[in-house]
Structures are given as structure tokens and as C-alpha cells.
Amino acid sequence: MKHGAVIVRGGSVLATGMNKDRNHPTIVSSEHIKIHCSVHAEIDALKKVDDPRGATIYVARVNRRGQERNSRPCPSCYSAIKNSGIKKIIYTEED
């Protein structure tokens, strides 16, 4: 699956991000997990923008067939988004 985030304000893209270095135990065995290696798309995008206040973040996940999947931010990402001053979160959902 592909999972990405785009931060937009005033019609301009401020930053983009994507999931990196999966470390879920059902995907990667524990002996191969690097400490703190997973980066969520939302956090990746937030790290690339100086001032996201008032912006909108779009978060999308699609499977290999191009079908939308649930991309609702996890509690940690949701908190980071709200604390950043982003005013609106839009994300994909499964049918």
C-alpha cells in the first residue's frame, strides 16, 4: 500500500510526505526493526514545512489496485497535526 500526505494553503503545496521504513511486527520481524524507524506520511510532511498554521492536510492511502483505503491519522499523527496549527484534515476512507 502507498500512503501519502500533502499540506496545502492558499492553493499552494507547502509539503508532501509518505510512509517510510515499515516496522509493524506482522511485516518485519523483530530482529530487523530499527529503533524508531517508522515515519508516517503526516509526520514526514510536517517536518518539511516551516509554518503549517491555517493549512489543510490531505492524507490518502491506496492499495495495489488503486483503490482508496482508510487513511485516518493515528492518534499520534492527529495530535501532531492539531498542535501544528493545521485547520483541516481530509483523508480517504474505504468504500
Side-chain angles (χ1 to χ4, degrees):
M1 275 198 208
K2 302 289 183 182
H3 194 185
V6 180
I7 300 174
V8 178
R9 184 176 55 219
S12 295
V13 173
L14 302 178
T16 62
M18 61 185 301
N19 274 19
K20 297 177 182 173
D21 297 324
R22 297 168 119 189
N23 69 356
H24 193 279
T26 62
I27 298 170
V28 179
S29 61
S30 60
E31 67 269 12
H32 294 104
I33 294 177
K34 296 181 274 182
I35 296 174
H36 308 296
C37 72
S38 182
V39 176
H40 288 192
E42 302 92 328
I43 302 304
D44 188 36
L46 284 170
K47 288 180 177 180
K48 296 174 182 174
V49 64
D50 292 328
D51 182 13
R53 288 178 295 174
T56 298
I57 188 167
Y58 297 87
V59 187
R61 181 187 305 261
V62 295
N63 66 13
R64 293 175 197 243
R65 293 185 218 141
Q67 299 166 315
E68 292 181 358
R69 294 294 178 241
N70 183 28
S71 66
R72 182 178 184 164
C74 72
S76 180
C77 288
Y78 182 83
S79 179
I81 291 166
K82 285 300 184 185
N83 289 336
S84 75
I86 286 178
K87 70 175 183 178
K88 192 172 189 179
I89 303 169
I90 298 173
Y91 57 88
T92 57
E93 294 181 327
E94 293 184 43
D95 295 331

Coordinates of all heavy atoms in Angstrom, one line a residue:
M1 N 0.8 -1.2 0.0 CA 0.0 0.0 0.0 C 0.9 1.2 0.0 O 1.9 1.3 0.6 CB -0.9 0.0 1.2 CG -2.1 -0.7 1.1 SD -3.3 -0.3 2.3 CE -4.2 -1.8 2.4
K2 N 0.4 2.3 -0.6 CA 1.0 3.6 -0.6 C 0.2 4.5 0.3 O -1.0 4.5 0.3 CB 1.0 4.1 -2.1 CG 1.8 3.2 -3.0 CD 3.2 3.2 -2.8 CE 3.9 2.4 -3.8 NZ 5.3 2.3 -3.6
H3 N 0.9 5.3 1.0 CA 0.3 6.2 2.0 C 1.0 7.5 1.9 O 2.2 7.6 2.1 CB 0.3 5.6 3.4 CG -0.6 6.3 4.4 ND1 -0.6 6.0 5.7 CD2 -1.5 7.3 4.2 CE1 -1.5 6.7 6.3 NE2 -2.1 7.5 5.4
G4 N 0.3 8.6 1.5 CA 0.9 9.9 1.4 C 0.1 11.0 2.0 O -1.1 10.9 2.3
A5 N 0.8 12.2 2.2 CA 0.2 13.4 2.8 C 0.6 14.6 2.0 O 1.8 14.6 1.6 CB 0.5 13.5 4.3
V6 N -0.3 15.5 1.9 CA 0.1 16.8 1.2 C -0.5 17.9 2.1 O -1.7 17.9 2.5 CB -0.5 16.9 -0.2 CG1 -0.2 18.2 -0.9 CG2 -0.1 15.7 -1.1
I7 N 0.3 18.9 2.4 CA -0.1 20.1 3.1 C -0.2 21.3 2.2 O 0.7 21.6 1.4 CB 0.9 20.4 4.3 CG1 1.0 19.3 5.2 CG2 0.5 21.7 5.0 CD1 2.1 19.4 6.3
V8 N -1.4 21.9 2.2 CA -1.8 22.9 1.2 C -2.3 24.1 1.9 O -3.1 24.0 2.9 CB -2.8 22.4 0.2 CG1 -3.2 23.5 -0.8 CG2 -2.3 21.2 -0.5
R9 N -1.9 25.3 1.5 CA -2.5 26.6 2.0 C -2.6 27.6 0.8 O -1.6 27.7 0.1 CB -1.7 27.1 3.1 CG -2.3 28.4 3.8 CD -1.5 28.9 5.0 NE -0.1 29.1 4.6 CZ 0.9 28.9 5.4 NH1 0.7 28.3 6.6 NH2 2.1 29.1 5.1
G10 N -3.7 28.2 0.7 CA -3.9 29.2 -0.3 C -3.7 28.7 -1.8 O -3.2 29.4 -2.6
G11 N -4.0 27.4 -2.0 CA -3.8 26.9 -3.4 C -2.3 26.5 -3.7 O -2.0 26.0 -4.8
S12 N -1.4 26.6 -2.7 CA 0.0 26.2 -2.9 C 0.3 25.0 -2.0 O -0.1 24.9 -0.8 CB 0.9 27.3 -2.5 OG 0.7 28.4 -3.3
V13 N 1.1 24.1 -2.6 CA 1.5 22.9 -1.8 C 2.7 23.4 -1.0 O 3.7 23.9 -1.5 CB 2.0 21.8 -2.8 CG1 2.6 20.6 -2.0 CG2 0.8 21.2 -3.6
L14 N 2.6 23.2 0.3 CA 3.7 23.5 1.2 C 4.7 22.4 1.5 O 5.9 22.6 1.6 CB 3.1 24.0 2.6 CG 2.2 25.2 2.6 CD1 1.6 25.4 4.0 CD2 2.8 26.4 2.0
A15 N 4.1 21.2 1.5 CA 5.0 20.0 1.7 C 4.2 18.7 1.4 O 3.0 18.7 1.4 CB 5.4 20.0 3.2
T16 N 5.0 17.7 1.1 CA 4.5 16.4 0.9 C 5.2 15.4 1.7 O 6.4 15.6 2.1 CB 4.6 15.9 -0.6 OG1 6.0 15.9 -1.0 CG2 3.9 16.9 -1.5
G17 N 4.6 14.2 2.0 CA 5.3 13.2 2.8 C 4.7 11.8 2.4 O 3.6 11.7 1.9
M18 N 5.4 10.8 2.8 CA 5.0 9.4 2.6 C 5.5 8.5 3.6 O 6.5 8.8 4.3 CB 5.3 8.9 1.2 CG 6.8 8.8 0.9 SD 7.2 8.4 -0.8 CE 6.4 6.8 -0.9
N19 N 4.8 7.4 3.9 CA 5.2 6.4 4.9 C 6.6 5.9 4.4 O 6.8 5.6 3.3 CB 4.2 5.3 5.0 CG 3.2 5.6 6.0 OD1 2.9 6.8 6.3 ND2 2.5 4.6 6.4
K20 N 7.5 5.7 5.4 CA 8.8 5.2 5.2 C 9.2 4.1 6.2 O 8.7 4.2 7.4 CB 9.8 6.3 5.2 CG 9.6 7.4 4.2 CD 10.6 8.5 4.3 CE 10.3 9.5 3.3 NZ 11.1 10.7 3.4
D21 N 10.0 3.2 5.8 CA 10.5 2.2 6.8 C 9.5 1.5 7.6 O 9.5 1.7 8.9 CB 11.6 2.9 7.7 CG 12.8 3.4 6.9 OD1 13.1 2.7 5.9 OD2 13.3 4.4 7.2
R22 N 8.7 0.7 7.0 CA 7.7 0.0 7.8 C 8.3 -0.9 8.9 O 9.3 -1.5 8.7 CB 6.9 -1.0 6.9 CG 6.1 -0.2 5.8 CD 5.6 -1.2 4.8 NE 4.2 -1.1 4.8 CZ 3.4 -2.0 4.1 NH1 4.0 -3.0 3.5 NH2 2.1 -1.8 4.1
N23 N 7.7 -0.9 10.1 CA 8.2 -1.7 11.2 C 7.1 -2.4 11.9 O 7.4 -2.9 13.0 CB 9.1 -0.8 12.1 CG 8.3 0.1 12.9 OD1 7.0 0.3 12.8 ND2 8.9 0.8 13.8
H24 N 6.0 -2.6 11.3 CA 4.9 -3.4 12.0 C 5.4 -4.8 12.2 O 5.9 -5.4 11.2 CB 3.6 -3.3 11.2 CG 2.4 -3.8 12.0 ND1 2.1 -5.1 12.2 CD2 1.5 -3.1 12.8 CE1 1.1 -5.2 12.9 NE2 0.7 -4.0 13.3
P25 N 5.2 -5.5 13.3 CA 5.7 -6.8 13.5 C 5.1 -7.9 12.6 O 5.7 -8.9 12.4 CB 5.3 -7.1 15.0 CG 4.4 -6.1 15.4 CD 4.5 -4.9 14.5
T26 N 3.9 -7.6 12.0 CA 3.4 -8.6 11.0 C 4.1 -8.4 9.6 O 3.9 -9.3 8.8 CB 1.9 -8.5 10.8 OG1 1.6 -7.1 10.3 CG2 1.2 -8.7 12.2
I27 N 4.8 -7.4 9.5 CA 5.5 -7.1 8.2 C 7.0 -7.4 8.3 O 7.6 -7.9 7.4 CB 5.2 -5.7 7.7 CG1 3.7 -5.5 7.5 CG2 6.0 -5.3 6.5 CD1 3.3 -4.1 7.3
V28 N 7.6 -6.9 9.4 CA 9.1 -7.0 9.6 C 9.3 -7.7 10.9 O 8.8 -7.4 11.9 CB 9.7 -5.6 9.6 CG1 11.2 -5.7 9.9 CG2 9.4 -4.8 8.4
S29 N 10.2 -8.7 10.9 CA 10.5 -9.5 12.1 C 11.2 -8.6 13.1 O 11.9 -7.6 12.7 CB 11.3 -10.7 11.8 OG 12.5 -10.3 11.2
S30 N 11.1 -8.9 14.4 CA 11.6 -8.0 15.4 C 13.1 -7.8 15.3 O 13.6 -6.7 15.7 CB 11.2 -8.5 16.8 OG 11.8 -9.8 17.0
E31 N 13.8 -8.8 14.9 CA 15.3 -8.6 14.8 C 15.7 -7.7 13.7 O 16.9 -7.3 13.6 CB 16.0 -10.0 14.7 CG 15.7 -10.7 13.4 CD 14.6 -11.7 13.4 OE1 13.8 -11.7 14.4 OE2 14.4 -12.5 12.5
H32 N 14.8 -7.4 12.8 CA 15.1 -6.4 11.7 C 14.6 -5.0 11.9 O 14.8 -4.2 11.1 CB 14.6 -7.0 10.4 CG 15.3 -8.3 10.0 ND1 14.7 -9.5 10.1 CD2 16.5 -8.5 9.5 CE1 15.6 -10.4 9.7 NE2 16.7 -9.8 9.3
I33 N 13.8 -4.8 13.0 CA 13.3 -3.5 13.2 C 14.3 -2.6 13.8 O 15.0 -2.9 14.8 CB 12.1 -3.6 14.2 CG1 10.9 -4.3 13.5 CG2 11.6 -2.2 14.6 CD1 9.7 -4.5 14.4
K34 N 14.5 -1.4 13.1 CA 15.4 -0.4 13.6 C 14.7 0.4 14.7 O 13.5 0.5 14.6 CB 15.8 0.5 12.5 CG 16.6 -0.1 11.4 CD 17.0 0.9 10.3 CE 15.9 1.0 9.3 NZ 16.2 1.9 8.2
I35 N 15.4 0.9 15.6 CA 14.8 1.7 16.6 C 14.2 3.0 16.0 O 14.9 3.7 15.3 CB 15.8 2.1 17.7 CG1 16.3 0.8 18.4 CG2 15.2 3.1 18.7 CD1 17.4 1.1 19.4
H36 N 12.9 3.2 16.3 CA 12.2 4.4 15.8 C 12.3 4.5 14.3 O 12.4 5.7 13.8 CB 12.7 5.7 16.5 CG 12.7 5.6 17.9 ND1 11.5 5.4 18.7 CD2 13.7 5.6 18.8 CE1 11.8 5.4 20.0 NE2 13.1 5.5 20.1
C37 N 12.2 3.5 13.5 CA 12.4 3.6 12.1 C 11.2 4.0 11.3 O 11.3 4.5 10.2 CB 13.0 2.3 11.5 SG 11.9 0.9 11.4
S38 N 10.0 3.8 11.8 CA 8.8 4.1 11.0 C 8.5 5.6 11.0 O 8.6 6.2 12.0 CB 7.6 3.3 11.6 OG 6.5 3.6 10.8
V39 N 8.2 6.1 9.8 CA 7.8 7.5 9.7 C 6.5 7.5 9.0 O 6.4 7.1 7.9 CB 8.9 8.3 8.9 CG1 8.4 9.8 8.7 CG2 10.2 8.3 9.6
H40 N 5.5 8.1 9.6 CA 4.2 8.2 9.0 C 4.2 9.4 8.0 O 4.9 10.3 8.2 CB 3.1 8.4 10.0 CG 2.8 7.1 10.8 ND1 1.7 7.0 11.6 CD2 3.5 6.0 10.9 CE1 1.7 5.8 12.2 NE2 2.8 5.2 11.8
A41 N 3.3 9.3 7.0 CA 3.3 10.3 5.9 C 3.0 11.7 6.5 O 3.6 12.7 6.1 CB 2.2 9.9 4.9
E42 N 2.1 11.7 7.5 CA 1.7 13.0 8.0 C 2.9 13.7 8.7 O 3.2 14.9 8.5 CB 0.6 12.9 9.1 CG -0.6 12.2 8.5 CD -0.7 10.7 8.7 OE1 0.4 10.1 8.6 OE2 -1.8 10.2 8.8
I43 N 3.7 12.9 9.5 CA 4.9 13.4 10.2 C 6.0 13.8 9.2 O 6.6 14.9 9.3 CB 5.4 12.4 11.2 CG1 4.3 12.1 12.2 CG2 6.7 12.9 11.9 CD1 3.7 13.3 13.0
D44 N 6.1 13.0 8.2 CA 7.1 13.3 7.1 C 6.8 14.7 6.5 O 7.7 15.5 6.3 CB 7.1 12.2 6.1 CG 8.2 12.3 5.0 OD1 9.3 12.7 5.4 OD2 8.0 11.9 3.9
A45 N 5.5 14.9 6.2 CA 5.2 16.2 5.6 C 5.3 17.4 6.6 O 5.9 18.4 6.2 CB 3.7 16.2 5.1
L46 N 4.9 17.1 7.8 CA 5.0 18.2 8.8 C 6.5 18.6 9.1 O 6.8 19.8 9.3 CB 4.4 17.8 10.2 CG 2.9 17.8 10.2 CD1 2.4 17.1 11.5 CD2 2.4 19.2 10.1
K47 N 7.4 17.7 9.0 CA 8.8 18.0 9.2 C 9.4 18.9 8.1 O 10.4 19.5 8.2 CB 9.7 16.7 9.2 CG 9.5 15.9 10.5 CD 10.3 14.7 10.4 CE 10.2 13.9 11.7 NZ 11.0 12.7 11.7
K48 N 8.7 19.0 6.9 CA 9.2 19.7 5.8 C 8.6 21.1 5.6 O 9.0 21.8 4.7 CB 8.9 18.9 4.5 CG 9.6 17.6 4.5 CD 9.2 16.8 3.2 CE 9.8 15.4 3.2 NZ 9.3 14.6 2.1
V49 N 7.7 21.5 6.5 CA 7.1 22.8 6.4 C 7.4 23.7 7.6 O 7.4 23.2 8.7 CB 5.6 22.7 6.2 CG1 4.9 22.0 7.3 CG2 4.9 24.0 5.8
D50 N 7.8 24.9 7.4 CA 8.1 25.8 8.5 C 6.9 26.3 9.3 O 6.9 26.3 10.5 CB 8.9 27.1 7.9 CG 10.2 26.7 7.4 OD1 10.9 25.8 7.9 OD2 10.7 27.4 6.4
D51 N 5.9 26.7 8.6 CA 4.7 27.2 9.3 C 3.4 26.7 8.6 O 2.9 27.2 7.7 CB 4.7 28.7 9.2 CG 3.5 29.4 10.0 OD1 2.8 28.7 10.7 OD2 3.3 30.6 9.8
P52 N 2.9 25.6 9.2 CA 1.6 25.0 8.6 C 0.3 25.6 9.1 O -0.7 25.2 8.7 CB 1.8 23.5 9.0 CG 2.4 23.6 10.3 CD 3.4 24.7 10.2
R53 N 0.4 26.6 9.9 CA -0.8 27.2 10.5 C -1.8 27.6 9.5 O -1.4 28.3 8.5 CB -0.5 28.3 11.4 CG 0.2 27.9 12.7 CD 0.5 29.1 13.6 NE 1.6 29.9 12.8 CZ 2.0 31.0 13.2 NH1 1.6 31.6 14.3 NH2 2.9 31.7 12.5
G54 N -3.1 27.2 9.6 CA -4.1 27.6 8.7 C -4.2 26.7 7.5 O -5.1 26.9 6.7
A55 N -3.3 25.8 7.3 CA -3.3 24.9 6.1 C -4.3 23.8 6.2 O -4.9 23.5 7.3 CB -1.9 24.4 5.9
T56 N -4.4 23.0 5.1 CA -5.2 21.8 5.1 C -4.2 20.7 4.8 O -3.3 20.8 4.0 CB -6.3 21.9 4.0 OG1 -7.2 22.9 4.3 CG2 -7.0 20.6 3.9
I57 N -4.4 19.5 5.5 CA -3.6 18.4 5.1 C -4.5 17.3 4.5 O -5.6 17.0 5.0 CB -2.9 17.8 6.4 CG1 -1.9 16.7 5.9 CG2 -3.8 17.3 7.5 CD1 -0.9 16.3 7.0
Y58 N -4.1 16.8 3.4 CA -4.8 15.7 2.7 C -4.0 14.4 2.9 O -2.7 14.5 2.6 CB -4.9 16.0 1.2 CG -5.7 17.2 0.9 CD1 -5.1 18.5 0.8 CD2 -7.0 17.1 0.6 CE1 -5.9 19.6 0.5 CE2 -7.8 18.2 0.3 CZ -7.2 19.5 0.3 OH -8.0 20.6 0.0
V59 N -4.6 13.4 3.4 CA -3.9 12.1 3.6 C -4.6 11.1 2.8 O -5.9 10.9 2.9 CB -3.9 11.8 5.1 CG1 -3.1 10.6 5.4 CG2 -3.5 13.0 6.0
A60 N -3.9 10.3 2.0 CA -4.5 9.3 1.2 C -3.7 8.0 1.3 O -2.5 8.0 1.4 CB -4.6 9.7 -0.2
R61 N -4.4 6.9 1.2 CA -3.8 5.5 1.1 C -4.6 4.8 0.0 O -5.8 4.8 -0.1 CB -4.0 4.8 2.4 CG -3.4 3.4 2.5 CD -3.8 2.6 3.7 NE -3.5 3.3 4.9 CZ -2.4 3.1 5.7 NH1 -1.5 2.2 5.3 NH2 -2.2 3.8 6.8
V62 N -3.8 4.1 -0.8 CA -4.3 3.3 -1.9 C -3.7 2.0 -1.9 O -2.5 1.9 -1.6 CB -4.2 4.0 -3.3 CG1 -5.0 5.3 -3.4 CG2 -2.8 4.3 -3.7
N63 N -4.4 0.9 -2.3 CA -3.8 -0.4 -2.4 C -3.2 -0.6 -3.8 O -3.2 0.3 -4.6 CB -4.8 -1.5 -2.1 CG -5.9 -1.6 -3.1 OD1 -5.9 -1.1 -4.2 ND2 -7.0 -2.4 -2.7
R64 N -2.7 -1.8 -4.1 CA -2.0 -2.0 -5.4 C -2.9 -1.9 -6.5 O -2.5 -1.8 -7.7 CB -1.3 -3.4 -5.3 CG -0.2 -3.4 -4.3 CD 0.4 -4.8 -4.2 NE 1.2 -4.9 -3.0 CZ 2.5 -5.1 -3.0 NH1 3.1 -5.3 -4.1 NH2 3.1 -5.2 -1.9
R65 N -4.2 -2.0 -6.3 CA -5.2 -1.9 -7.4 C -5.7 -0.5 -7.6 O -6.6 -0.2 -8.4 CB -6.4 -2.8 -7.1 CG -6.0 -4.3 -7.2 CD -7.3 -5.1 -7.0 NE -6.9 -6.3 -6.2 CZ -7.7 -6.8 -5.3 NH1 -8.9 -6.3 -5.0 NH2 -7.3 -7.8 -4.6
G66 N -5.1 0.5 -6.8 CA -5.5 1.9 -6.9 C -6.8 2.2 -6.1 O -7.3 3.3 -6.3
Q67 N -7.3 1.3 -5.3 CA -8.5 1.5 -4.5 C -8.2 2.3 -3.2 O -7.2 2.0 -2.6 CB -9.2 0.2 -4.2 CG -9.6 -0.6 -5.4 CD -9.9 -2.1 -5.0 OE1 -9.2 -2.7 -4.3 NE2 -11.0 -2.5 -5.6
E68 N -9.0 3.2 -2.9 CA -8.8 4.0 -1.7 C -9.0 3.1 -0.5 O -9.9 2.3 -0.4 CB -9.8 5.2 -1.6 CG -9.5 6.2 -2.7 CD -10.5 7.4 -2.6 OE1 -11.4 7.4 -1.7 OE2 -10.3 8.3 -3.4
R69 N -8.2 3.4 0.5 CA -8.2 2.7 1.8 C -8.2 3.7 2.9 O -7.9 4.9 2.7 CB -7.0 1.7 2.0 CG -7.1 0.6 1.0 CD -8.3 -0.3 1.3 NE -8.4 -1.4 0.4 CZ -9.5 -1.6 -0.4 NH1 -10.5 -0.7 -0.4 NH2 -9.6 -2.6 -1.2
N70 N -8.6 3.3 4.1 CA -8.7 4.2 5.3 C -7.3 4.8 5.6 O -6.3 4.1 5.7 CB -9.2 3.5 6.5 CG -9.4 4.4 7.7 OD1 -9.6 5.6 7.5 ND2 -9.3 3.8 8.9
S71 N -7.3 6.1 5.6 CA -6.0 6.8 5.9 C -6.2 7.8 7.1 O -5.4 8.7 7.2 CB -5.5 7.6 4.7 OG -6.4 8.6 4.3
R72 N -7.2 7.5 7.9 CA -7.4 8.4 9.0 C -6.2 8.4 9.9 O -5.6 7.4 10.2 CB -8.6 7.9 9.9 CG -8.9 8.7 11.1 CD -10.1 8.2 11.8 NE -10.4 9.1 12.9 CZ -11.5 9.1 13.6 NH1 -12.4 8.2 13.3 NH2 -11.7 10.0 14.5
P73 N -5.7 9.6 10.2 CA -4.4 9.7 11.0 C -4.5 8.9 12.3 O -5.6 9.0 13.0 CB -4.2 11.2 11.2 CG -5.0 11.8 10.1 CD -6.1 10.9 9.8
C74 N -3.5 8.3 12.7 CA -3.4 7.6 14.0 C -3.4 8.7 15.1 O -3.2 9.9 14.8 CB -2.1 6.7 14.1 SG -0.6 7.7 14.3
P75 N -3.7 8.3 16.4 CA -3.8 9.3 17.4 C -2.5 10.2 17.6 O -2.6 11.4 17.8 CB -4.0 8.4 18.7 CG -4.7 7.2 18.2 CD -4.1 6.9 16.8
S76 N -1.4 9.6 17.4 CA -0.1 10.3 17.5 C 0.0 11.4 16.4 O 0.3 12.6 16.6 CB 1.1 9.4 17.4 OG 2.3 10.1 17.5
C77 N -0.3 11.0 15.1 CA -0.3 11.9 14.0 C -1.4 13.0 14.1 O -1.1 14.2 13.9 CB -0.5 11.2 12.7 SG 1.0 10.2 12.2
Y78 N -2.6 12.6 14.6 CA -3.7 13.5 14.7 C -3.2 14.6 15.7 O -3.5 15.8 15.5 CB -4.9 12.8 15.2 CG -6.1 13.7 15.4 CD1 -6.9 14.1 14.3 CD2 -6.4 14.3 16.6 CE1 -8.0 14.9 14.5 CE2 -7.5 15.1 16.8 CZ -8.3 15.4 15.7 OH -9.3 16.3 15.8
S79 N -2.6 14.2 16.8 CA -2.2 15.2 17.8 C -1.1 16.1 17.2 O -1.2 17.3 17.4 CB -1.6 14.4 19.0 OG -1.1 15.3 20.0
A80 N -0.2 15.6 16.5 CA 0.9 16.4 15.9 C 0.3 17.4 14.9 O 0.7 18.6 14.8 CB 1.9 15.5 15.2
I81 N -0.7 16.9 14.1 CA -1.4 17.8 13.1 C -2.1 19.0 13.8 O -1.9 20.1 13.5 CB -2.4 17.0 12.3 CG1 -1.6 16.1 11.3 CG2 -3.3 17.9 11.4 CD1 -2.5 15.0 10.7
K82 N -2.9 18.6 14.9 CA -3.6 19.7 15.6 C -2.7 20.6 16.3 O -2.9 21.8 16.3 CB -4.5 19.0 16.6 CG -5.8 18.4 16.0 CD -6.5 19.5 15.3 CE -7.8 19.0 14.7 NZ -8.5 20.0 13.9
N83 N -1.6 20.1 16.9 CA -0.6 21.0 17.5 C 0.1 21.9 16.6 O 0.7 22.9 17.0 CB 0.4 20.2 18.4 CG -0.3 19.6 19.6 OD1 -1.3 20.1 20.1 ND2 0.3 18.5 20.1
S84 N 0.2 21.5 15.3 CA 0.9 22.3 14.3 C 0.1 23.5 13.9 O 0.7 24.4 13.3 CB 1.2 21.5 13.1 OG 0.1 21.3 12.3
G85 N -1.2 23.6 14.1 CA -2.0 24.7 13.7 C -2.7 24.4 12.4 O -3.4 25.3 11.9
I86 N -2.6 23.3 11.8 CA -3.3 22.9 10.6 C -4.8 23.0 11.0 O -5.2 22.4 12.0 CB -2.9 21.5 10.1 CG1 -1.5 21.7 9.4 CG2 -3.9 21.0 9.1 CD1 -0.9 20.4 8.9
K87 N -5.6 23.6 10.1 CA -7.0 23.8 10.4 C -7.9 22.7 9.9 O -9.0 22.5 10.5 CB -7.5 25.2 9.9 CG -7.6 25.2 8.4 CD -8.2 26.5 8.0 CE -8.4 26.5 6.5 NZ -9.0 27.7 6.0
K88 N -7.5 21.9 8.9 CA -8.4 21.0 8.3 C -7.7 19.7 7.9 O -6.6 19.8 7.4 CB -9.1 21.6 7.1 CG -10.3 20.8 6.6 CD -11.0 21.6 5.5 CE -12.3 21.0 5.1 NZ -13.0 21.7 4.1
I89 N -8.3 18.5 8.2 CA -7.7 17.2 7.8 C -8.7 16.5 6.9 O -9.9 16.4 7.3 CB -7.5 16.4 9.1 CG1 -6.6 17.1 10.1 CG2 -6.9 15.0 8.6 CD1 -6.5 16.3 11.4
I90 N -8.2 16.2 5.7 CA -9.1 15.4 4.8 C -8.4 14.1 4.5 O -7.2 14.1 4.2 CB -9.3 16.2 3.5 CG1 -10.1 17.5 3.8 CG2 -10.0 15.4 2.5 CD1 -10.2 18.4 2.7
Y91 N -9.1 13.0 4.6 CA -8.4 11.7 4.4 C -9.4 10.7 3.7 O -10.6 10.9 3.7 CB -8.0 11.1 5.8 CG -9.1 10.9 6.8 CD1 -9.8 9.7 6.8 CD2 -9.3 11.9 7.7 CE1 -10.9 9.6 7.8 CE2 -10.3 11.7 8.6 CZ -11.1 10.6 8.7 OH -12.1 10.4 9.6
T92 N -8.8 9.7 3.0 CA -9.6 8.7 2.3 C -10.1 7.7 3.3 O -9.6 7.5 4.4 CB -8.7 8.0 1.3 OG1 -7.6 7.4 1.9 CG2 -8.2 9.0 0.2
E93 N -11.2 7.1 2.8 CA -11.8 6.0 3.6 C -12.2 4.9 2.6 O -12.3 5.1 1.4 CB -13.1 6.5 4.2 CG -12.9 7.5 5.3 CD -14.2 7.9 6.0 OE1 -15.3 7.9 5.3 OE2 -14.2 8.2 7.2
E94 N -12.3 3.7 3.1 CA -12.7 2.5 2.3 C -14.1 2.7 2.0 O -14.9 3.3 2.7 CB -12.4 1.2 3.0 CG -10.9 1.0 3.2 CD -10.7 -0.4 3.9 OE1 -11.3 -1.3 3.5 OE2 -9.8 -0.4 4.8
D95 N -14.5 2.0 0.9 CA -15.9 2.1 0.5 C -16.9 1.5 1.5 O -16.6 0.6 2.2 CB -16.1 1.4 -0.9 CG -15.4 2.1 -2.0 OD1 -15.2 3.3 -1.9 OD2 -15.0 1.5 -2.9

